[in-house]
Amino acid sequence: MSLRSDSRRQVSGWLVMSAYGLVSAVLQLVWLTYAPITTAAAGHYGVSEGAIGWLANVFPLLYVVLALPAGIVLDRWFRPTLGAGAALVAVGAGLRLFDDYVFVLAGHLVVAVAQPLVLNAISKLADGCLPDRQRPAGIAAAAAANLVGMLAALILGAAMGADGLRSLLLIDFGAALLAGAALWFGLRGQAPQEIDTPARVSAGALRALFTDRRTRSLGGLVFVGFGVFIALTTWLEPLLKPAGVTNAGTLLAVLVLSGIVGSAVLPAPVVHRGLERPALGATLLITASGCAALAIAPGMLVATVVVIVVGFPLLAALPIVLDTTERVVGAAGGSTGAAFIYLLGNAGGLFIAVAVEQLLGRPGWAFSLLALVVVGGFASLRSLGKGTDWIRAASPIRNPPPHRQFW
């Protein structure tokens, strides 16, 4: 009887994680809707290409501002906050159905506000819904769903074009409604003790995220890795164009697809075997080598090999870091810990992408800069201890429920 009960809870937990993954994927669909059709969309709405570009840019900008507040609210009122985030995704997608740029921008702003409420929940949701042994796989699956959403946005936008824009927006809205409803019902079906660990996040806890050696090092790794990924997705086309590569969009799709496979197969065995540090080190080495190869010998063949080889570990590193961060800060502060990681990842994306933009006329220098940035990530890796003792040491959770303080 007990075994059947445990089995039912596991199935229920995975259904919730699946619904959460769908909401996360829809977020990426909305974010990148116009990326493959920027010029045509500008003509459709009668605005500049820059105005269409801002539909995507508001997401990382608002995330940097709202990441930590959203994490704090999630740790205090997890279930209603995550439900509100899913609802806002549907509302924002619905606003875009009004065929006017003002409503489209408003819809993107609403979804951009929802983004940290949804994404920051990944670690805590997996901890509350799944057994410890399955938590890394749950985090990896949800992180992979983000990449699936990105890939779907690039493929659908390119396939349907501006002529199919109305249908594309309807698909996004319908997917947002279905995913939000599935997550809402899933959250209602979870027992309170399995998903709710209310925590009041102290000011000292927020300071410690930036000063504790472990979280600071993990944040530094994400700043570098996620930042380089965003820079590549933003500028790969103009950087490779002088070398005669004209189908950078296909290369980006291959990069994301390779990352999806990596996220599906790498994180769980790495975490179970305590190989976080060597796996992250190998990721830095492979990424730096790939950027160096593009600096030395840009071309279609080299670029294809690089995006496959680099994408596989680079995008899989994020769920590894998220799982490790949750174990460092403890379950009660899991959402704030995830917020810290995503905050530094988006900040790295903005900073590194702007730096690379200054070198668009010199692609070799731009790829060399990316390689040097990745090499700099070894400084963060070096400050982490060997083995897994550094993860378990000095757990910041001190006080018991119902209202935990962490750090």
Side-chain angles (χ1 to χ4, degrees):
M1 188 70 176
S2 176
L3 288 176
R4 286 198 296 270
S5 178
D6 289 342
S7 177
R8 284 196 297 270
R9 283 198 295 269
Q10 288 185 27
V11 171
S12 175
W14 274 108
L15 288 175
V16 174
M17 291 302 299
S18 298
Y20 171 81
L22 288 175
V23 174
S24 299
V26 173
L27 264 171
Q28 311 309 314
L29 279 175
V30 174
W31 173 33
L32 297 175
T33 297
Y34 299 96
I37 53 171
T38 298
T39 301
H44 177 84
Y45 292 114
V47 297
S48 67
E49 291 184 10
I52 298 297
W54 271 104
L55 295 176
N57 291 341
V58 295
F59 279 74
L61 287 175
L62 281 180
Y63 200 100
V64 170
V65 175
L66 299 176
L68 289 177
I72 292 170
V73 174
L74 276 164
D75 279 326
R76 183 67 179 86
W77 299 286
F78 183 78
R79 202 187 310 234
T81 303
L82 177 55
L88 287 175
V89 173
V91 170
L95 284 173
R96 302 189 308 167
L97 295 176
F98 295 94
D99 197 25
D100 185 275
Y101 178 78
V102 173
F103 283 98
V104 173
L105 178 59
H108 274 243
L109 287 171
V110 169
V111 179
V113 170
Q115 183 179 221
L117 301 179
V118 174
L119 296 187
N120 291 350
I122 182 171
S123 301
K124 191 165 184 173
L125 185 65
D127 184 79
C129 292
L130 301 174
D132 289 346
R133 183 79 180 169
Q134 297 179 10
R135 183 185 60 202
I139 293 175
N146 286 321
L147 302 177
V148 171
M150 293 174 61
L151 185 62
L154 295 173
I155 293 174
L156 284 174
M160 301 182 73
D163 292 338
L165 181 58
R166 180 71 178 179
S167 298
L168 189 60
L169 297 180
L170 284 170
I171 290 173
D172 290 356
F173 179 53
L177 286 177
L178 290 174
L183 182 58
W184 186 79
F185 281 111
L187 290 173
R188 281 177 56 88
Q190 286 291 306
Q193 67 271 21
E194 293 176 323
I195 201 169
D196 295 328
T197 52
R200 291 194 176 100
V201 180
S202 66
L206 294 180
R207 286 194 301 270
L209 286 171
F210 292 92
T211 59
D212 183 88
R213 172 179 60 83
R214 297 165 296 170
T215 52
R216 187 176 65 243
S217 297
L218 290 167
L221 290 169
V222 171
F223 183 94
V224 168
F226 202 72
V228 168
F229 168 69
I230 291 178
L232 285 174
T233 56
T234 303
W235 303 121
L236 190 63
E237 180 178 9
L239 289 176
L240 290 178
K241 191 173 183 180
V245 178
T246 58
N247 54 347
T250 302
L251 289 174
L252 289 176
V254 172
L255 174 70
V256 174
L257 182 59
S258 180
I260 292 172
V261 177
S263 296
V265 303
L266 279 183
V270 165
V271 171
H272 292 326
R273 291 176 171 84
L275 299 175
E276 293 90 346
R277 191 172 185 267
L280 293 173
T283 299
L284 291 175
L285 180 61
I286 292 170
T287 305
S289 300
C291 292
L294 290 174
I296 296 170
M300 187 62 191
L301 177 60
V302 173
T304 301
V305 173
V306 167
V307 297
I308 294 173
V309 175
V310 169
F312 187 83
L314 181 61
L315 299 184
L318 179 60
I320 294 173
V321 172
L322 285 169
D323 180 83
T324 305
T325 303
E326 196 273 343
R327 283 181 286 151
V328 168
V329 303
S335 295
T336 305
F340 171 76
I341 293 300
Y342 276 122
L343 167 63
L344 288 184
N346 280 275
L350 291 172
F351 181 82
I352 296 173
V354 169
V356 171
E357 184 180 8
Q358 312 311 309
L359 296 171
L360 290 182
R362 297 182 175 181
W365 285 99
F367 285 123
S368 297
L369 174 62
L370 290 176
L372 288 174
V373 168
V374 177
V375 170
F378 280 100
S380 293
L381 185 69
R382 192 177 298 113
S383 64
L384 297 178
K386 295 181 180 180
T388 57
D389 289 343
W390 61 273
I391 300 175
R392 297 190 296 267
S395 174
I397 300 297
R398 294 302 181 203
N399 297 333
H403 301 300
R404 299 185 185 180
Q405 303 269 351
F406 77 102
W407 248 298

